[in-house]
Amino acid sequence: MAVTDEAIEKIKGMIVSGALRPGDRLPKESELAAELGLSRNSLREAVRALSLIRILDVRQGDGTYVTSLDPQLLLEALSFVVDFHRDDTVLEFLAVRRILEPAATAMAAARISEQQLNALTNQLDKLGEAPSVEELVACDLEFHRGIVQSSGNSVLCSLLDGLSGPTTRARIWRGLTQEDAVSRTLHEHRAILAALRDRDAEAARSWATVHIASVEQWLRSSL
Amino acid sequence: MAVTDEAIEKIKGMIVSGALRPGDRLPKESELAAELGLSRNSLREAVRALSLIRILDVRQGDGTYVTSLDPQLLLEALSFVVDFHRDDTVLEFLAVRRILEPAATAMAAARISEQQLNALTNQLDKLGEAPSVEELVACDLEFHRGIVQSSGNSVLCSLLDGLSGPTTRARIWRGLTQEDAVSRTLHEHRAILAALRDRDAEAARSWATVHIASVEQWLRSSL
DNA sequence: TCGTGCGAGACATCCGACGTCTCAGCCCAC
DNA sequence: GTGGGCTGAGACGTCGGATGTCTCGCACGA
């Protein structure tokens, strides 16, 4: 194995074993390089790779630190990976989202706070009757993110965040080409919110399913 | 932004835009570095980072290539990320798996082939009545992977693969400390298989839920 | 006491050199 | 003519050092 890969494994090992804990500062590059038995250049490749996936946080002029290792932070890397997928796999991502989002919405029904409910209501009100497609899609993302956060599962939340990205373009496209998509989306959002306010997990789940299925159906028919 | 980060974005852009396609070979390091306007060292950091998450495949003595970009390959990086999570977030991962796995199992009920059903049967038969805990857990992973592959969604499959890793230890631990866990697991596997053979999606979904919920419940009570 | 300026420390980037590996083409033996 | 081994070009792997840039903490002066 290449020395850089070894270094990646060793640093990973130090973190997993607990020798390095979240927030800890690593030895300076030259010291760590000597410690692991490689050059600073090669070590930097390892550090750079780990920082791309948010394991390490390098701050110029300061030092290199272990991140908080929050699921949210780490799964952020997922969206980077997902960006590489072409449209032909969007359906598969959407299918997964169709599984997760209703479940998250149902979970949220039991846990969402009054405050959060009001915030979501305000958000929908603010959008008005005839928003632009871009506004609608942005609001769509924000609306679902707010709900999923209330599910109380940060892994679930990050995963959905990552999966929602690639379907964004598809949703915009849909809004532009399907006439009643905008009004239907607005209606479905209201219905989901109402179900959450009623603490009706099953209704919330169903509306969320309908919401995503309609996008899926449209996408399937137009590919 | 740092030049290396710029390079990462540019390479990503070249792939997403289609200028570089799966399997394509990149210009040699020195050329690409000149093209992107940075040194070979800095470029190498970018390439190393992208190869860690399986976007690029560098072969010493040969060249650097774009990988197949299969969802499977890219989401493999997920398991690397997931490795960093401590036991305190295992429950959240398990909760997500509890959502996805039953859905995948239900999907498989409609699509799984006779051949695959027979393979799964053989696998369970081969295990015998009183396997060791390690054998059981390995078989468990294999069994579920086989089913999820039959769901026909490679994104879903890879995601579950990534999520199953971190709970492996927990399952072994359970097998060692809970007496009837082994026999109960064997029984549940048989039940899932029977439901699949009957093409009964709902039964398959329910058994899969039960199967995971029992692990979840045990884990929750023993933390 | 507060703000500014300076300097040490750490990462960012680059250059050039040499080692190692892979592949393809040439040459020789069969 | 064909197969196998050898060799050289090309590409990645690794290294050491030099210089630029940024951040933080401390000392100084208003």
Side-chain angles (χ1 to χ4, degrees):
Chain A
M1 194 193 301
V3 292
T4 302
D5 294 306
E6 269 182 52
I8 291 176
E9 287 301 320
K10 283 179 184 170
I11 296 174
K12 177 181 176 181
M14 285 192 280
I15 296 174
V16 172
S17 74
L20 284 174
R21 298 176 39 177
D24 278 1
R25 176 178 176 165
L26 273 67
K28 66 179 177 189
E29 290 183 346
S30 56
E31 276 179 23
L32 188 56
E35 202 174 307
L36 299 181
L38 40 60
S39 76
R40 188 170 158 243
N41 266 331
S42 301
L43 173 67
R44 276 181 59 75
E45 289 183 19
V47 170
R48 171 70 67 176
L50 289 173
S51 92
L52 178 68
I53 57 177
R54 315 299 174 99
I55 303 296
L56 298 179
D57 178 23
V58 289
R59 307 178 201 159
Q60 181 180 168
D62 185 359
T64 303
Y65 299 81
V66 179
T67 65
S68 64
L69 296 180
D70 275 344
Q72 181 175 358
L73 208 55
L74 296 196
L75 292 176
E76 223 175 76
L78 178 68
S79 73
F80 186 90
V81 164
V82 165
D83 280 343
F84 283 91
H85 286 94
R86 319 273 319 189
D87 293 335
D88 52 355
T89 52
V90 162
L91 270 178
E92 294 199 353
F93 281 102
L94 198 56
V96 174
R97 187 166 167 242
R98 179 180 166 172
I99 296 167
L100 288 176
E101 184 104 31
T105 307
M107 286 165 72
R111 301 182 82 265
I112 195 168
S113 67
E114 284 299 322
Q115 187 185 356
Q116 182 70 319
L117 281 171
N118 292 334
L120 290 173
T121 305
N122 286 336
Q123 192 193 324
L124 289 187
D125 288 342
K126 204 174 54 190
L127 202 59
E129 282 303 311
S132 74
V133 174
E134 286 77 9
E135 281 174 348
L136 179 70
V137 171
C139 168
D140 194 17
L141 276 175
E142 200 53 44
F143 181 75
H144 289 294
R145 178 176 302 167
I147 292 173
V148 173
Q149 275 174 349
S150 295
S151 75
N153 186 322
S154 61
V155 171
L156 180 56
C157 187
S158 311
L159 221 46
L160 274 171
D161 242 27
L163 292 175
S164 296
T167 62
T168 302
R169 283 167 306 174
R171 276 178 282 175
I172 290 180
W173 188 25
R174 175 175 183 242
L176 291 174
T177 58
Q178 198 177 36
E179 287 226 339
D180 59 345
V182 173
S183 67
R184 205 192 299 174
T185 297
L186 287 174
H187 176 243
E188 286 164 357
H189 280 179
R190 293 283 179 189
I192 291 172
L193 188 53
L196 290 178
R197 207 174 271 286
D198 290 343
R199 307 285 173 191
D200 186 340
E202 280 316 304
R205 182 198 306 277
S206 301
W207 275 111
T209 304
V210 166
H211 187 53
I212 296 172
S214 67
V215 178
E216 189 182 355
Q217 199 172 31
W218 169 81
L219 192 60
R220 196 183 298 276
S221 68
S222 52
L223 281 184
Chain B
M1 195 191 302
V3 290
T4 301
D5 294 308
E6 269 181 52
I8 291 176
E9 287 301 321
K10 283 178 184 170
I11 295 173
K12 177 181 176 181
M14 286 192 279
I15 296 175
V16 171
S17 74
L20 285 174
R21 296 175 37 176
D24 277 1
R25 176 177 177 166
L26 273 67
K28 67 179 177 190
E29 290 182 345
S30 55
E31 275 180 23
L32 187 56
E35 201 174 307
L36 299 182
L38 40 61
S39 75
R40 188 172 158 237
N41 264 330
S42 300
L43 173 69
R44 276 182 57 76
E45 290 182 17
V47 170
R48 172 72 64 176
L50 289 173
S51 90
L52 180 68
I53 56 176
R54 315 297 176 99
I55 303 295
L56 298 180
D57 178 23
V58 288
R59 307 176 202 161
Q60 181 179 166
D62 186 359
T64 303
Y65 299 81
V66 179
T67 66
S68 65
L69 296 181
D70 275 343
Q72 182 176 357
L73 207 55
L74 296 196
L75 292 176
E76 220 175 78
L78 179 67
S79 74
F80 185 90
V81 164
V82 166
D83 280 344
F84 282 91
H85 285 93
R86 322 268 322 186
D87 293 335
D88 53 355
T89 53
V90 162
L91 270 178
E92 295 200 353
F93 281 101
L94 199 57
V96 174
R97 185 166 169 244
R98 180 180 165 172
I99 296 167
L100 288 177
E101 184 103 32
T105 307
M107 286 165 71
R111 302 182 81 266
I112 195 167
S113 67
E114 285 298 322
Q115 187 184 356
Q116 180 72 319
L117 281 170
N118 292 334
L120 289 173
T121 306
N122 286 337
Q123 192 193 325
L124 290 186
D125 287 342
K126 205 174 52 189
L127 202 60
E129 281 304 311
S132 74
V133 173
E134 286 77 10
E135 282 174 347
L136 179 70
V137 171
C139 169
D140 194 17
L141 277 174
E142 201 52 46
F143 181 74
H144 288 294
R145 179 176 302 168
I147 292 174
V148 173
Q149 274 174 349
S150 295
S151 74
N153 185 323
S154 61
V155 172
L156 180 56
C157 187
S158 310
L159 221 44
L160 274 170
D161 244 26
L163 292 175
S164 296
T167 63
T168 302
R169 280 168 308 175
R171 275 179 282 176
I172 290 180
W173 187 25
R174 175 172 182 245
L176 290 174
T177 59
Q178 199 178 35
E179 287 227 339
D180 61 345
V182 173
S183 67
R184 205 193 300 175
T185 297
L186 287 174
H187 176 244
E188 287 164 357
H189 281 179
R190 293 282 179 190
I192 291 172
L193 187 53
L196 290 179
R197 207 174 271 286
D198 290 344
R199 307 286 173 189
D200 185 339
E202 280 315 303
R205 181 196 306 276
S206 301
W207 275 112
T209 305
V210 166
H211 187 52
I212 296 171
S214 66
V215 177
E216 188 182 355
Q217 197 173 32
W218 168 81
L219 193 59
R220 196 183 297 277
S221 69
S222 53
L223 283 183

